[in-house]
Amino acid sequence: MITIKTYLKVAVLFFTSTYVQAQCEVFKSEISDVHQYMSQFSQLSDSLSTAVEIASFDASISTARKNTRTAMLLMGQAVNAADEAVTLASEAQYDSQTCGLEDAMSYTIDAERHTIDSRDFSTEAFENVKNAAKANNLGNLQFYMRKAQRLMKEAQSSADSAVYAADNAHYSCSHDVAHLSFEK
């Protein structure tokens, strides 16, 4: 009877550890995707910065409108990438709890917070770019584009912080003692 209980305990322990390991692999995949989408967001932000700069300061309304349309296209893609990253960061944050590693949980919470900030700033910037596209005169167009430019700098800063936190979360998600901090 005792051997049966022992075998059952070993079986439960084995399946539990296998489940936790599988959840950690899901977490690693999700946090890697957060990294990928936030990196894509940063690249799109870099690409649209030239169009926003020209639209914000050019003396020709036709050139400003052309660059505003370019910025609107790239902003839409950036907002989509940020939205996807927020969804994945939220799922990763949930799965990091199952994984049970404090460093991974902490970095994932940071990554989620930064992706949300990035999405919020970029969404507001996108609204300003859309307002600029509808503007009737150069002054209003440039006003909205300059607001969008400031917001995109904040969004890109948050995206860079999210990439950093996602990297750290992925690295921290190891049950190997060599990767764990000495504080524990």
Side-chain angles (χ1 to χ4, degrees):
M1 185 68 166
I2 293 177
T3 58
I4 293 174
K5 287 183 180 178
T6 304
Y7 287 133
L8 285 175
K9 288 179 183 178
V10 169
V12 168
L13 181 62
F14 174 74
F15 288 121
T16 303
S17 67
T18 302
Y19 174 75
V20 168
Q21 190 63 29
Q23 286 302 109
C24 287
E25 291 304 316
V26 169
F27 164 75
K28 286 180 180 179
S29 173
E30 289 167 346
I31 205 69
S32 293
D33 288 345
V34 169
H35 179 276
Q36 177 187 358
Y37 278 108
M38 284 288 92
S39 294
Q40 178 186 4
F41 179 89
S42 288
Q43 290 171 350
L44 287 166
S45 295
D46 285 342
S47 297
L48 71 88
S49 65
T50 303
V52 171
E53 184 81 21
I54 292 170
S56 295
F57 297 102
D58 197 82
S60 166
I61 190 148
S62 61
T63 304
R65 283 194 192 283
K66 178 183 171 210
N67 283 286
T68 299
R69 285 191 297 273
T70 302
M72 194 161 49
L73 174 69
L74 293 171
M75 280 295 306
Q77 293 174 4
V79 169
N80 286 338
D83 279 338
E84 191 64 33
V86 167
T87 302
L88 290 166
S90 177
E91 292 171 6
Q93 197 275 330
Y94 174 78
D95 288 334
S96 72
Q97 294 174 1
T98 306
C99 217
L101 297 170
E102 290 180 29
D103 288 346
M105 286 187 274
S106 177
Y107 287 124
T108 304
I109 289 168
D110 289 345
E112 182 182 29
R113 180 173 44 90
H114 291 302
T115 57
I116 289 169
D117 289 347
S118 185
R119 183 212 43 208
D120 291 348
F121 284 129
S122 64
T123 300
E124 191 175 344
F126 188 47
E127 290 302 316
N128 279 288
V129 171
K130 289 193 293 190
N131 288 337
K134 294 185 240 174
N136 292 329
N137 61 48
L138 184 61
N140 288 342
L141 184 146
Q142 289 178 336
F143 170 77
Y144 287 119
M145 290 305 285
R146 287 178 185 154
K147 277 181 72 173
Q149 187 177 31
R150 285 190 300 274
L151 289 164
M152 278 311 294
K153 286 181 182 176
E154 293 294 327
Q156 188 165 11
S157 176
S158 293
D160 293 342
S161 295
V163 167
Y164 179 76
D167 264 350
N168 286 335
H170 187 274
Y171 180 76
S172 297
C173 188
S174 174
H175 290 279
D176 184 6
V177 179
H179 284 161
L180 299 177
S181 69
F182 292 111
E183 297 171 7
K184 296 179 184 170

